[in-house]
Every structure is written in C-alpha cells, then in structure tokens.
Amino acid sequence: LHWGTSTSPLVEGEMLLVNVGASGASVVAFNKYNGEVVWKTLDDIAGYSSPIAITVDGVREIVFFGGKSIFGVSPRDGSLHWRHSWMTLSEMNIATPIFSDPYLFVASGRGTGSGVFRLRKDGDSVKADVVWSDMIMQNHFNSCVLIGGYVYGFDNSILKCVRLEDGETVWADRSVGKGALIAAQGHLFIVGERGIIGVAEASPEAYRERGRMQVLEYKSWTPPALSGGKLFIRDQKNIACLDLRASR
C-alpha cells in the first residue's frame, strides 16, 4: 500500500480478521489468542477501509472494501458471498461502508462516487444487487454517518445530506471545507482539514450551523472522537480537547 496500512482489524468471535491483500490471502483470519491462521482466502488487493460485520436475514457476513472491489465473505471459512468491482485512482478506497438493513452504502473519492447495494439472503450465502450508483458523494478520507435514513458526509469539499434509499441530495453546503465528521445527540461535529471546528444540526431539512471556531493549525485528516461530553481532535502536530458540556 502506497500510503501504508490504515484499515483496522476486526474481531469476530475468536478470530481477528485482517485485509492483508496478498495473493491467496486477501483476507486472513487469525486466532485472536495465539495468532495462528484459521483460514485465508481470495486475491483482492487491500484498500484503506476497515471491514464491518453484518447479519443479513440471519446470515453472518464480513464486508471488505478492497483496493479494486467491495465483497462479502463468510466468517466461518472465508467463502465468497458476493463481489462488485469498485475502481478508484491509485486504489484509494478509504471510507468504511455503512450497513442499514437491507442497504449497504459505499463511497470513494478520486472521481468514483457512491452507491447503495441491497443485500438479501441466498441459501447459506448473501447476494448484493445495485440499487443506485452516482457521483453525488465522494468521500476522500472520512466515512459518512447515517441518521434516520439520511447519509451525511463530505463530497470532496462540500458537506451533503443524501437520502439513502434513492441517492437524492437534499442539501449541500461548503461548511468548513473538506473534512471529517461524527454525529451525536442530533448534531454533526465537523473538523475541517484546515483546523476549523463546526457544529451543525443533523437534519435533512437544511444545513443549520450552530457555531464554529478555529482550533487547529496544521492539516487535519483525523476524525474527531467524543467521550463524556469532550471532543478530541488532532492535526499533524497537535491534539486538543474541547469541553462541550453545559456549564454547571
């Protein structure tokens, strides 16, 4: 991987699943206690996205977003359930997919865009059918968030709200420029790559910003984290903590 490994491993039962990306070992399942290989499978090259574990009509599945494809495998033995080609410049599939039964949302930057698959049980396996595919949401480095059937995220430098089931853009705003976001208590907490922090309502009605401030100085591509009413943010040199709790 040209930019190093950013995909996270996934714990599933007693296994640790990793998108290694090697020939015959695209996905490797390790025993999480001793590191022994339980199984390895497929030839898909690795991407920068993290895998997710989902259940489709009672069938357990692990979804991987590789460098050139998105695919689902069985956690039991790594057998392939389904695969769809998803090509981007320099194999830069980065954002983590989002599953909201029966829909699987996926997005990439670099001129590729986003799409939704409808997943359904097929015997002991799963099938994925394309619902829609469009250029409306190009996630460069940060994943979207899903709230109440609407996807919020960055289409390059524009923050958008997109309806999941049909891909309709309901609003778009330049907000803080290209950045990362998380959601909590009905709000979006946004970090622009130039260090501007913003808070907006998580509403499909319109972009309503509740405040912003300049906090960081250098390029910030790290998603914020929220814990106990405190927002943690960082750029390439510094880390900061903002206390969002109401004064007492």
Side-chain angles (χ1 to χ4, degrees), residues 173-245:
D173 195 280
R174 291 195 175 275
S175 184
V176 299
K178 183 186 290 186
L181 81 166
I182 58 174
Q185 296 184 349
H187 289 79
L188 304 174
F189 297 88
I190 311 161
V191 181
E193 67 174 349
R194 296 184 179 180
I196 299 175
I197 312 304
V199 180
E201 292 182 11
S203 169
E205 296 179 359
Y207 177 78
R208 301 190 184 105
E209 189 173 291
R210 292 306 185 191
R212 68 167 63 190
M213 61 188 296
Q214 182 81 43
V215 178
L216 302 173
E217 181 179 357
Y218 302 95
K219 179 180 286 188
S220 175
W221 279 16
T222 303
L226 185 63
S227 177
K230 295 181 179 180
L231 187 71
F232 298 86
I233 56 177
R234 66 180 293 270
D235 59 21
Q236 292 181 334
K237 293 189 177 182
N238 301 302
I239 186 169
C241 175
L242 306 180
D243 193 340
L244 306 182
R245 296 172 297 180

Side-chain angles (χ1 to χ4, degrees), residues 19 26 44-45 47 64-71 82-88 93:
N19 189 192
S26 174
D44 302 74
I45 66 171
F64 288 88
F65 197 12
K68 295 182 179 180
S69 59
I70 181 167
F71 54 94
W82 58 271
R83 178 195 285 116
H84 283 272
S85 174
W86 199 273
M87 305 295 291
T88 55
N93 291 325

Side-chain angles (χ1 to χ4, degrees), residues 62-81:
I62 312 299
V63 176
F64 288 88
F65 197 12
K68 295 182 179 180
S69 59
I70 181 167
F71 54 94
V73 301
S74 169
R76 295 194 308 269
D77 55 9
S79 57
L80 181 67
H81 285 172

Side-chain angles (χ1 to χ4, degrees), residues 19-30:
N19 189 192
V20 175
S23 177
S26 174
V27 177
V28 180
F30 299 94

Side-chain angles (χ1 to χ4, degrees), residues 40-243:
K40 53 185 178 179
T41 188
L42 306 180
D43 299 314
D44 302 74
I45 66 171
Y48 299 91
S49 172
S50 298
I52 60 173
I54 65 176
T55 302
V56 180
D57 293 332
V59 178
R60 191 67 168 170
E61 172 173 275
I62 312 299
V63 176
F64 288 88
F65 197 12
K68 295 182 179 180
S69 59
I70 181 167
F71 54 94
V73 301
S74 169
R76 295 194 308 269
D77 55 9
S79 57
L80 181 67
H81 285 172
W82 58 271
R83 178 195 285 116
H84 283 272
S85 174
W86 199 273
M87 305 295 291
T88 55
L89 181 67
S90 302
E91 292 83 47
M92 290 182 64
N93 291 325
I94 300 172
T96 300
I98 298 173
F99 180 65
S100 178
D101 196 8
Y103 299 117
L104 180 72
F105 173 85
V106 61
S108 293
R110 304 287 178 163
T112 301
S114 54
V116 163
F117 301 93
R118 180 182 284 109
L119 305 187
R120 56 187 174 88
K121 180 180 179 181
D122 182 37
D124 293 330
S125 185
V126 174
K127 283 192 174 182
D129 302 311
V130 177
V131 177
W132 59 264
S133 180
D134 206 302
M135 295 287 290
I136 58 173
M137 183 72 81
Q138 298 184 62
N139 292 166
H140 182 186
F141 55 84
N142 183 232
S143 304
C144 292
V145 295
L146 176 66
I147 304 171
Y150 292 88
V151 175
Y152 301 85
F154 284 95
D155 180 16
N156 286 320
S157 60
I158 300 176
L159 183 63
K160 288 184 175 181
C161 175
V162 174
R163 193 158 56 207
L164 177 68
E165 63 180 15
D166 58 11
E168 180 182 349
T169 300
V170 296
W171 59 253
D173 195 280
R174 291 195 175 275
S175 184
V176 299
K178 183 186 290 186
L181 81 166
I182 58 174
Q185 296 184 349
H187 289 79
L188 304 174
F189 297 88
I190 311 161
V191 181
E193 67 174 349
R194 296 184 179 180
I196 299 175
I197 312 304
V199 180
E201 292 182 11
S203 169
E205 296 179 359
Y207 177 78
R208 301 190 184 105
E209 189 173 291
R210 292 306 185 191
R212 68 167 63 190
M213 61 188 296
Q214 182 81 43
V215 178
L216 302 173
E217 181 179 357
Y218 302 95
K219 179 180 286 188
S220 175
W221 279 16
T222 303
L226 185 63
S227 177
K230 295 181 179 180
L231 187 71
F232 298 86
I233 56 177
R234 66 180 293 270
D235 59 21
Q236 292 181 334
K237 293 189 177 182
N238 301 302
I239 186 169
C241 175
L242 306 180
D243 193 340

